Amino acid sequence: MLAEADREEEEDFQRFLRRVDDIANLVQGLNSADPAVKERTIAEAEKRLHDQETSREEESKTTVNRTIINTRASDVANAKAVNADGFLAILEKDAKERAKQRKRNEHLANALKEKGNDAFRKGDYVVAIQRYTEGLEKLKDKQELYTNRAQAYLKMHECEKAITDCEWALKCNEKCIKAYFLMGKAHLAVRHYSESRQCYEKILQIDPQKETLFKDCMNEVNLEEKRMKDEERAMKEVQSGKLAALSIKEMLQKLDRPDQNILYYTGGIRLLTGAMKDCTEQTLFRTNNGFSILKDNEIVRWGFCAERKNAAEVDLSVSLLFLWQAVCTGNEENQHLLLTQPDVNAQLPKLLSSGVSEIQKETLALISLYSENENGRRLLVRHLDLTKWLQILMTFVKSTDARASSAMNILSDLTKEERFKTQCRVMLSTGVLPLFTHLLTSAKLVNQAALAHCIGIMGNLCADVVIRMQMAECKECWQACLKLVDECFDVSTPKYQECLFAVLGLMMNLLLESNVIIQYFAVDISGRCMSLLRDKDGRIVTAGGQITSNYCIKTLSICTRSNRQAQEDLVKSDKRFSVLLKLLDSENEMIVGNAAFCLGQCLAVPGAATSLLNSNVVMILLKHAGGDATRTSVQENAAIALGKLCVAESRHIFQLRKLNGLAILNSSMKYIHSI
């Protein structure tokens, strides 16, 4: 009976939608500027009216008295007699009345929807469902009411009703992403994994931009399906009486005994850790409430959360960290549950800052389980407040052991998450930059491999415009960077050179900004770059190969573009442009392009072009502008520099003629916007 009622309701709804479409099409046809279309529409409207009157006539007849005259016959005749203009007026009036009624109903439905939304926000899902239902009585084809009611049904765990409402919503709007999303959730709740995946695949088909949502939803389905299979498998092992499976529950029961010595719990936790062999034991730990050990055991919680831990509390904390590593390795469901424990959530940053090396080491190891994969990172950024983590983890640069590299690896992984970058903004100016500046100025005293990694991480964070802007406006940060560059002339170790490369890359990223601080330091920055590029013994440039040259010339080109004093100082320090001419001969086109750009900027300095008269600069630029370079940007920069050279010093034109380069230069003029 219920299925029959649903079918009748759906047929009624479909008829309603068809009538709405038919009326809309008739009104559109009657308003058409095409006389033929208008005439066909009038004929169609008259036919529909005749059919409707005929239907009413049949309904009005009775079997009691067949001699009763049909009183509507004259009405039909009168309707047929109405001329086309009169009929059009009647139909338009009817359409307007229907539109007004729909508008009134839509207003009422919206008001009821808002009342339902308010009840939903308050958690009163029963009232919310009532209001949405009342709204649908006013307006059957309002998609939002179906999806909102489906969401309320989901909260009430009435998944089948939620699925039905989503299907109705899709009849109203076949591309409703919210309907497919909620339907996927409902199918997942009743373990219809295949159907759930199909719903989420529809979302991606409708909007390819929803790829992140799609991945999250599919991952949720996969995890839930795996969780159920794991738990079924684990239960079978318990039922079959396997000793390893039974021992997990037994050990957890022993740990649940109250008021034991802290050493008792530490020993029990270590035994439990040793029993974690595979997914079955991890699953049984979860299903037997193993994660409640902190919440339910006051002594364990007290020892783990103590601010200043004694030796026994340190041992207990390390044991717990070992246990959680064993329980969470390769098990995303357990990773999720661990982070939902309030004490764990609150204690992780405190453990990292504890100063106890063994606790820090195992805390880093636990966090690495999350950070090394995309799903784990998302759990971290979703469940933890990471605003202070950049500062906390950066502190490990001072460590001389493996903690430094572990911390930097975690940071490097976390920077892949946009939400982490957003959280980093909060403490950047007040906490992170002062620490970072201190590390740069203490480069000789800290773990230099970790420092190089840290500088690179800060460079990656510069992809965030807000972070880059704050760093570029930090005067102390620029001073620290320049100090590290200066010290590289005295320190020739490979690790220190890595710090140099990283700092050059960082400065290059920061120079994407333009502010008074950068203008202030532009001359100093360009001076350091020139010193690196012309280092007499070649030690600095050759140590990093083309990396250093590339970073230096890129940084130099940015500084000379925006600062006249930097241009003049470059010309003064290298009057014959020996450094730039050498770079123009490089096989690396990025270096060549930036060198040509830099040269073009410096030719604005009086006398600069004249100092190049006896050089082969014309031939070099002509070669690059003429098409030897594969990069269009290199051709552009070379052509612009060549044009500026000839304008600034006309005697270069004679050399250009000897090389038959005027035609090449003319063909390259399309690149020259202003010389």
Side-chain angles (χ1 to χ4, degrees), residues 58-70:
E58 292 297 326
E59 290 174 1
S60 67
K61 293 180 180 179
T62 66
T63 56
V64 177
N65 186 356
R66 294 180 181 271
T67 62
I68 294 178
I69 298 173
N70 180 9

Side-chain angles (χ1 to χ4, degrees), residues 238 243-258 260 264-265 267-273 275-276 280-294 296-297 300 320 323-324 327 334:
V238 171
L243 184 61
L246 295 171
S247 66
I248 300 297
K249 184 175 182 179
E250 183 182 346
M251 283 187 278
L252 284 170
Q253 288 174 341
K254 289 180 178 179
L255 282 172
D256 200 37
R257 293 176 184 172
Q260 302 296 311
Y264 169 86
Y265 297 118
I269 290 168
R270 290 192 179 275
L271 286 173
L272 188 58
T273 302
M276 293 295 147
T280 298
E281 284 77 22
Q282 292 176 331
T283 302
L284 289 170
F285 177 87
R286 177 177 72 242
T287 56
N288 285 281
N289 297 319
F291 286 108
S292 65
I293 188 170
L294 283 181
D296 297 341
N297 193 310
V300 174
L320 278 170
L323 173 62
W324 290 330
V327 166
N334 283 1

